[in-house]
Amino acid sequence: MRVAIVGGGIIGLAVGRELLLRGADVTVYDPAPAGTGGAWHVAAGMLAPGGESAFEFPFLEPLLEASNALWPEYAAALGDVGYDDAGTLSVALTADDLAEAKREWQHQKLATLTGSQVRDREPSLSPRIRAGAFSPTERQVDPRKVVAALRSSLHGRFVSQRVTDISDISADSVVVAAGVGTASLTGLPVRPVKGQVLRLRGEPGLLRHVIDGAADGRHVYLVPRADGEVVVGATQEERSDRAVTAGGTHDLLRAALDLVPGLSEHEITELTVGHRPGTPDNAPILGRLDDRTVVAAGHHRNGVLLAPITARLIADLVLTGTADPLLDSFTPGRF
């Protein structure tokens, strides 16, 4: 079967790799196949189904958990992609932060830790932190390394072309995985949701865990890499511009330094903006649009986490014509 993938982000590449492994003749269409314009380039790579599911509709939670379970084996197959299973510490700075965080921790069935218990696990945290919780099943990968590995697996199968009409593509099946560009290709309601992210660098070892924290009402995550990089994110703005703003940078840095004062000595190495592909219900669009076209888009905050399960389910649908029941709640027809 000849399958065209429209979009060379993490979802399109993951689907393309899965189809190739199953014997399909895959071609990936992307105007910048070696570029850095996708949401994956900005993403921190948190694999956090529990933290995300608290903000979503209940039907998304099984999909997030199923994909999270695939990641250890998936990362091993890709090679060095920065996979780290040290777990995530959620922390709250103020009484108001704690009241809100406790609802999420109860949803995830996590035990509340005192401030001193949290600092026992992560000594660099501020002594002002009131409480926290530890999630051992929430992990991280480096999305830039993941995309590099996926691109390598699809070497020689890229066409540097911007697709404006999928009817022009010659293939047995077309998978549209074009992120926010999916809207113009399919008419589906996929919108850009702006996110600003900072990257800091210092001596390795300041943080061991991913930190998911609230500081005076400001939510921030801190994702440490083995080489001393710490990813700080992210704003969530219903905007389509690519401006790095003083306000966004200030809010992220203030929250980060309130939680981990030692980050004040780190160098700011990168300020980036990306656009998450959002949908009206903030769940992905996965399924058949017509006899030849399948959509895999609209993953919002969960593109990295959902890459393995999306690849498996979409490959099954393309090659067998049968949709897994997991897809029932995510079909394009719901819009």
Side-chain angles (χ1 to χ4, degrees), residues 198-210:
L198 315 179
R199 280 174 165 79
L200 313 178
R201 186 171 295 278
E203 287 296 321
L206 178 68
L207 292 172
R208 181 169 180 267
H209 305 84
V210 172

Side-chain angles (χ1 to χ4, degrees), residues 81 100 243 320:
V81 292
E100 183 175 348
T320 70

Side-chain angles (χ1 to χ4, degrees), residues 259-275:
L259 296 178
V260 184
L263 288 173
S264 63
E265 298 299 319
H266 277 45
E267 176 187 4
I268 299 175
T269 58
E270 189 175 293
L271 307 173
T272 50
V273 171
H275 293 94

Side-chain angles (χ1 to χ4, degrees), residues 251-262:
D251 285 348
L252 292 174
L253 279 178
R254 179 176 175 181
L257 296 178
D258 280 348
L259 296 178
V260 184

Side-chain angles (χ1 to χ4, degrees), residues 47 106 126 131 174 212 225 335:
L47 307 177
Q106 289 169 359
S126 168
V174 178
D212 183 3
R225 309 282 194 225
F335 298 120

